[in-house]
Amino acid sequence: MVAPSEYVYLDHAATTPLCEQARVAMEPLLASGERARPPSFGNPSGSHALARIATRALDEARERVAAVLGCAPGEVVFTSGGTEADNLAVTGGMPPRPGVPVCGATEHPAVLEPVRALDGVEVAVDAAGRVLPDALAGTLERLGGGTGRRASVVSVMCANNELGTINDLDALAAVVHEHAPGVPLHSDAVQAAPWLDLSVAARAADLVSVSAHKLGGPKGVGALVVRAGSMLSALIHGGGQERGRRGGTPDLAGIVGFAAALEATASQRCSQAARVAALRDELAAELELLEAVSPTVGTTGAAVLPGHLHLLVEGVSAEELLLLLEQRGVCASAGSSCASGAAAGSHVVEAIGVTGRDRAPLRISLGATTTRREIRAAADALRWALARLAERGGSPVLEART
Ligand code: PLP
């Protein structure tokens, strides 16, 4: 049995540890009694002195988040995370916008499920899981041409959570402007935010979702960027917080931690991206020597986030493989970390045309804390797991290639 402190954590796309900057920023807001100086428990919606202290902290965090995301402070709507931001963007609030939402087939369920609930349309993706401009143009043309339906929003993720592949949002925005003028483009940038400068990568999107816990902030906090001029009402109605776009007392400590984590991420982005991509490539090169393992988007030439390595492993089941990896202390995943875990098939892998029950998807995702030692341990563990499975099942494809 491996002690939790000894686990090799390679599931950073699911969540990543709280960074020191976020912890330090949040601490005064979580302190109580004498340790809380100045007292910071006030409700930012109030009007007395203690409420004003909280309001100032909220305003300052909003300015810092906006500066990193490349938008105005008034365009930031704080939410309970990526899921809420996505739901708000797709529906446009309550009642939902007229028309039907359009999204890529490999979107996270936080987009896909509200799109399906509103009888929306999914755009087919290429072999790397990207929405290509021609495919989007075709979908929007068909929708506009005689079906009597129109798009209410187009939602295409900045980078995919399972494969790590990056969409060209500038090109997709041009398609939306041409084929569905006036329709907002939403991008779920939850996975991209730790690695890409969203003030550039997502500049073409009218609505952008981010989540704190994917980049070293606390869980349960996120934001939707709503660019000036985008129509949006509240999904959660209440006391008119967030300029009437999201009711409810904000999680001030979480938001302050989010701002600190976002700034820390931005200041280290270039060096971390280069370091992590090098480790990822090292691991990929080592694993590709195994006959059973192939990179899922390796030959497509698609740009991939630095921390993602998505593999297909022949002759095994995802559940068995993950269980054996865990016995060696390695935490990875078969796909996204939704409630269904590894048991349910991946709609992303299905959407890129990978079939066959004997090919297990394996997502290894690195983060800011990943070390070379962990990468070596992961390679050893995978070799060991494949050898065990070959012994048990006599799989024909588990030999070393060279
Ligand atoms: N969108 C993407 C692409 C994600 O990867 C996730 C989390 O896995 C979410 C949305 C949901 O974010 P949250 O966990 O903050 O609700």
Side-chain angles (χ1 to χ4, degrees):
M1 183 77 177
V2 181
S5 59
E6 287 166 15
Y7 275 115
V8 171
Y9 183 73
L10 291 170
D11 199 15
H12 289 267
T15 194
T16 201
L18 192 75
C19 70
E20 186 58 10
Q21 291 90 337
R23 191 191 64 74
V24 168
M26 292 168 74
E27 218 165 51
L29 290 144
L30 297 171
S32 59
E34 276 307 300
R35 287 173 48 242
R37 285 278 165 250
S40 45
F41 60 86
N43 187 329
S45 305
S47 55
H48 50 66
L50 292 192
R52 285 197 298 276
I53 291 174
T55 308
R56 267 199 299 280
L58 182 61
D59 289 348
E60 196 190 301
R62 193 185 304 281
E63 281 164 20
R64 293 164 67 190
V65 168
V68 175
L69 298 180
C71 63
E75 294 175 328
V76 175
V77 177
F78 287 118
T79 65
S80 65
T83 300
E84 186 192 324
D86 284 346
N87 273 257
L88 177 58
V90 169
T91 62
M94 286 289 282
R97 291 185 202 93
V100 291
V102 173
C103 77
T106 47
E107 291 295 315
H108 188 274
V111 166
L112 213 46
E113 291 305 321
V115 166
R116 288 176 179 169
L118 294 170
D119 199 20
V121 177
E122 291 167 40
V123 186
V125 294
D126 75 349
R130 294 169 299 182
V131 173
L132 297 183
D134 282 351
L136 179 60
T139 301
L140 292 176
E141 267 172 28
R142 278 193 296 282
L143 200 57
T147 64
R149 304 207 293 174
R150 66 178 293 270
S152 57
V153 64
V154 173
S155 183
V156 179
M157 65 208 317
C158 196
N160 185 262
N161 50 305
E162 294 189 28
L163 306 171
T165 44
I166 300 167
N167 279 303
D168 182 348
L169 293 180
D170 287 344
L172 295 169
V175 169
V176 175
H177 291 155
E178 186 184 341
H179 295 272
V183 171
L185 173 64
H186 165 245
S187 188
D188 174 338
V190 166
Q191 291 291 331
W195 305 111
L196 304 182
D197 178 356
L198 295 186
S199 71
V200 179
R203 67 190 158 197
D206 305 293
L207 305 163
V208 182
S209 303
V210 281
S211 174
H213 75 100
K214 306 286 184 178
L215 45 83
K219 293 168 181 62
V221 185
L224 180 67
V225 173
V226 183
R227 303 232 194 260
S230 308
M231 293 289 289
L232 194 95
S233 55
L235 188 60
I236 297 174
H237 295 269
Q241 290 92 345
E242 298 296 300
R243 298 179 170 209
R245 292 173 297 191
R246 201 275 185 179
T249 303
D251 173 1
L252 187 55
I255 288 169
V256 167
F258 176 27
L262 206 49
E263 277 181 348
T265 300
S267 70
Q268 298 156 14
R269 183 174 287 123
C270 291
S271 57
Q272 277 291 10
R275 187 188 74 83
V276 167
L279 287 179
R280 187 266 320 267
D281 292 346
E282 227 174 86
L283 180 60
E286 199 159 330
L287 296 183
E288 281 168 36
L289 296 177
L290 297 167
E291 184 71 26
V293 178
S294 54
T296 313
V297 296
T299 54
T300 60
V304 176
L305 293 176
H308 271 70
L309 177 59
H310 195 280
L311 302 165
L312 292 170
V313 186
E314 281 182 46
V316 301
S317 82
E319 291 90 337
E320 278 181 314
L321 184 58
L322 291 174
L323 217 61
L324 284 171
L325 288 176
E326 195 179 320
Q327 278 177 27
R328 297 296 267 207
V330 173
C331 300
S333 80
S336 76
S337 292
C338 301
S340 46
S346 157
H347 72 284
V348 172
V349 170
E350 206 174 291
I352 62 172
V354 173
T355 50
R357 270 175 293 125
D358 292 338
R359 293 169 90 191
L362 178 65
R363 179 184 74 177
I364 295 174
S365 53
L366 292 68
T369 57
T370 304
T371 62
R372 174 160 286 117
R373 185 194 65 77
E374 288 183 302
I375 288 303
R376 295 222 177 95
D380 288 346
L382 193 61
R383 266 192 298 271
W384 176 84
L386 292 180
R388 289 293 76 69
L389 288 167
E391 273 166 22
R392 269 194 225 161
S395 170
V397 287
L398 302 181
E399 316 255 301
R401 256 187 210 132
T402 56

